[in-house]
Amino acid sequence: MNVTYYPGCSLEGTARDYADSIHGVCAALDIRLQEVPDWNCCGATAAHCIDHAASIGLPARNLKQAAQLPNSDMLVPCPMCFNRLRTAVWEQKEKGAQTDAELPQIWDLANFFAAEGMIRKLSAQVRKPLKGLNVVCYYGCMASRPPHITGATDYENPQSLDRIVAALGGTSVAWPYKTDCCGASLMISRPDMGYKLVGKLYDMAKRVGAQAIVVSCQMCQANLDMYQDKIEAEMSRLFRLPIIYFTELIGLAFGLPGTKGWLSRHFTDPLPLLRKGGLLD
Amino acid sequence: MQQTGLSPDFGFLERAEAAGPFNAAECFQCRKCTNGCPATFAMDLYPDQVIRLAILGRKEEVLHSKTIWVCASCETCSTRCPNGVRIAELMDYFKELAVRLGIPSPEPAVTALHQTFLENVRYTGRVFEGALLPVFLLRSGQLGSKLEKGTWRDEVKLGWQMFRKGRLALVPKFIQGKGEISSILRPSK
């Protein structure tokens, strides 16, 4: 199966572990990723905050570039990019512009993997079920909201990651902060705000007995993973919660050889937990 | 709340709606936006107050508020509004307007990060994270205070850890269509 792939900027930097795990898992599932030719940044938060025209124009150029590929599906691992691409389509449609005739369907990666046919494929390839692994699934904001852009119907209680974890043999524990905000770029410009928002998530994850937090967003991953020791110091508590991409979990359950390498790039080391659970050598 | 006396600008909402629509006039002050907002602890006006002031034409208070800048754009408010008011999108409109009018940001670091980010995109076509943070620290004036307080070591340590873990690209990727990108972005000041 050939699909169009829009990685987004951070998958070439901070989120290379995410990118590598996506490539590994897709290869195992015989999904061939064809990158949007000469793609550019989607503009992210900065563009929609202070340059509205660019917040539509930048993703619109990517859609134009994507139209060069013949595929009917476009996978977008970054929920922010996903949101901006869908916003560009929506706004152009609203304004009566000719657009989506040749556009592929734009998929949030987690939703793509959680579709029924794909869940069956995942279950079929599980070699090492994630038995005994209790996690909470954390979706953040942009894959769900606002629903008229994302098309989500379960935006207050999304299920995609929960279904994937279940298909892999793990347990996703119910918790109330599935879609609460991680602070996004405020982690850099107002770290005090970021720490507070993320600290609340750790606290609740621990309270419901989660051993790790599963994510599908590289922004959430970075905010929850990279500053954990600082937030621990600030709150005078130890959480030590690994923040794991769902694609890394798929790699684990499939027994893919690259998985350990992807997981080694995290700041909050997930290896001890996974070794203890017998999920990794 | 900054007190500027009563100087309503009655065209304020109308101009905003022309750029929207944001459906602000539909607000009946149920406060569902404010009650669900994760960032109210850092705000000087609650989201419902911003909408109300906008309706009343109290432009100065809206455009000088911290609230519009510390909104995390998480879209909980817009998603839950029973009347379809596009609150988060309106916050964006106010930020952009404040920048255009040259109003000094009450959250200079937040504003500087957005500006640095877009300049970065203009230069390469994609975000080059390796330059984003250092340029932001320079631009926002945080480098000086970090040097004074000695917290600059934290940034260096974080950068080094990212590099060691293979999470920091050292060379920017320039795209072919860079020219198109600069024509999409508003000219920088």
Side-chain angles (χ1 to χ4, degrees):
Chain A
M1 172 187 200
N2 288 335
V3 293
T4 299
Y5 179 61
Y6 177 82
C9 305
S10 55
L11 272 81
E12 293 188 329
T14 340
R16 276 204 265 185
D17 36 6
Y18 193 21
D20 291 347
S21 64
I22 292 165
H23 282 280
V25 166
C26 285
L29 290 163
D30 203 23
I31 299 167
R32 281 175 297 278
L33 302 172
Q34 300 184 314
E35 204 164 303
V36 174
D38 200 45
W39 57 270
N40 55 269
C41 168
C42 74
T45 312
H48 77 69
C49 281
I50 59 171
D51 188 346
H52 178 76
S55 79
I56 302 301
L58 290 169
R61 180 181 177 276
N62 288 319
L63 294 171
K64 199 183 75 190
Q65 295 295 109
Q68 295 172 28
L69 299 172
N71 308 319
S72 55
D73 294 304
M74 176 170 173
L75 304 193
V76 187
C78 166
M80 186 72 199
C81 302
F82 163 76
N83 198 295
R84 296 320 305 171
L85 287 162
R86 296 272 289 224
T87 303
V89 174
W90 184 81
E91 183 156 325
Q92 287 176 343
K93 263 197 219 161
E94 276 292 286
K95 301 208 162 140
Q98 265 281 346
T99 43
D100 61 344
E102 321 86 38
L103 277 184
Q105 174 168 6
I106 303 169
W107 284 95
D108 162 65
L109 191 72
N111 272 325
F112 179 81
F113 276 105
E116 216 168 284
M118 201 51 86
I119 286 283
R120 274 199 299 274
K121 281 189 194 169
L122 291 182
S123 312
Q125 287 207 33
V126 170
R127 291 210 194 107
K128 292 188 190 170
L130 306 178
K131 264 192 215 127
L133 187 66
N134 293 329
V135 299
V136 284
C137 296
Y138 178 56
Y139 296 80
C141 308
M142 294 289 106
S144 309
R145 290 190 297 260
H148 73 281
I149 297 294
T150 61
T153 50
D154 54 3
Y155 48 85
E156 292 284 13
N157 184 18
Q159 300 294 326
S160 57
L161 296 175
D162 298 80
R163 293 179 60 185
I164 293 167
V165 169
L168 303 174
T171 304
S172 69
V173 186
W175 76 316
Y177 290 161
K178 271 185 171 181
T179 63
D180 277 41
C181 176
C182 73
S185 68
L186 290 169
M187 186 59 93
I188 294 171
S189 49
R190 279 288 306 264
D192 58 317
M193 281 185 74
Y195 288 8
K196 192 162 174 173
L197 292 167
V198 171
K200 194 179 85 170
L201 301 175
Y202 295 151
D203 177 53
M204 185 57 78
K206 278 283 180 196
R207 275 207 266 166
V208 300
Q211 299 165 301
I213 301 179
V214 176
V215 294
S216 63
C217 170
Q218 79 303 329
M219 181 66 128
C220 299
Q221 204 283 339
N223 280 359
L224 269 64
D225 177 38
M226 285 172 42
Y227 307 89
Q228 198 166 139
D229 56 347
K230 285 189 190 167
I231 299 171
E232 285 177 338
E234 191 102 338
M235 295 174 73
S236 312
R237 283 183 61 182
L238 281 186
F239 296 106
R240 301 287 147 92
L241 276 165
I243 314 298
I244 306 176
Y245 289 113
F246 76 99
T247 40
E248 293 173 328
L249 279 190
I250 300 177
L252 262 182
F254 283 10
L256 298 182
T259 310
K260 200 170 149 189
W262 312 330
L263 291 163
S264 307
R265 289 188 167 166
H266 295 203
F267 278 59
T268 309
D269 190 1
L271 300 181
L273 167 74
L274 300 172
R275 284 200 188 108
K276 213 170 78 186
L279 301 171
L280 201 68
D281 309 325
Chain B
M1 191 187 302
Q2 191 184 347
Q3 290 299 327
T4 51
L6 278 180
S7 51
D9 172 354
F10 292 116
F12 186 45
L13 188 67
E14 207 173 308
R15 291 195 300 277
E17 289 300 334
F22 305 109
N23 310 326
E26 308 294 317
C27 173
F28 57 19
Q29 291 289 303
C30 72
R31 309 197 80 203
K32 201 172 177 184
C33 50
T34 295
N35 288 324
C37 176
T40 46
F41 67 89
M43 291 177 167
D44 52 358
L45 292 173
Y46 291 130
D48 67 283
Q49 293 176 316
V50 171
I51 305 295
R52 190 73 191 131
L53 287 166
I55 292 172
L56 295 172
R58 304 264 288 263
K59 178 175 150 186
E60 295 300 317
E61 281 142 295
V62 169
L63 297 184
H64 283 90
S65 72
K66 284 175 185 284
T67 297
I68 59 176
W69 292 104
V70 297
C71 160
S73 309
C74 78
E75 293 278 356
T76 306
C77 51
S78 306
T79 300
R80 292 183 182 168
C81 175
N83 284 356
V85 180
R86 311 235 58 87
I87 304 144
E89 291 79 352
L90 197 53
M91 297 281 180
D92 284 346
Y93 170 79
F94 292 143
K95 283 185 275 247
E96 185 165 352
L97 186 60
V99 171
R100 282 193 190 190
L101 295 176
I103 294 172
S105 172
E107 290 289 338
V110 179
T111 314
L113 182 61
H114 296 328
Q115 288 166 330
T116 310
F117 187 99
L118 291 183
E119 273 165 28
N120 189 307
V121 174
R122 183 194 308 279
Y123 189 62
T124 46
R126 294 183 193 167
V127 175
F128 174 48
E129 293 166 334
L132 183 61
L133 211 57
V135 177
F136 160 70
L137 290 176
L138 270 175
R139 182 170 185 148
S140 65
Q142 291 196 1
L143 195 62
S145 73
K146 279 181 190 293
L147 282 172
E148 252 170 52
K149 283 188 266 176
T151 49
W152 61 276
R153 287 187 190 88
D154 290 349
E155 307 299 327
V156 174
K157 191 178 149 206
L158 187 70
W160 168 245
Q161 280 178 307
M162 286 175 71
F163 171 69
R164 213 166 39 97
K165 290 180 184 290
R167 290 176 70 163
L168 193 63
L170 286 185
V171 197
K173 275 199 182 170
F174 294 90
I175 70 161
Q176 307 276 309
K178 240 184 71 183
E180 288 172 68
I181 302 303
S182 5
S183 67
I184 292 171
L185 289 164
R186 186 149 31 88
S188 63
K189 281 176 206 149

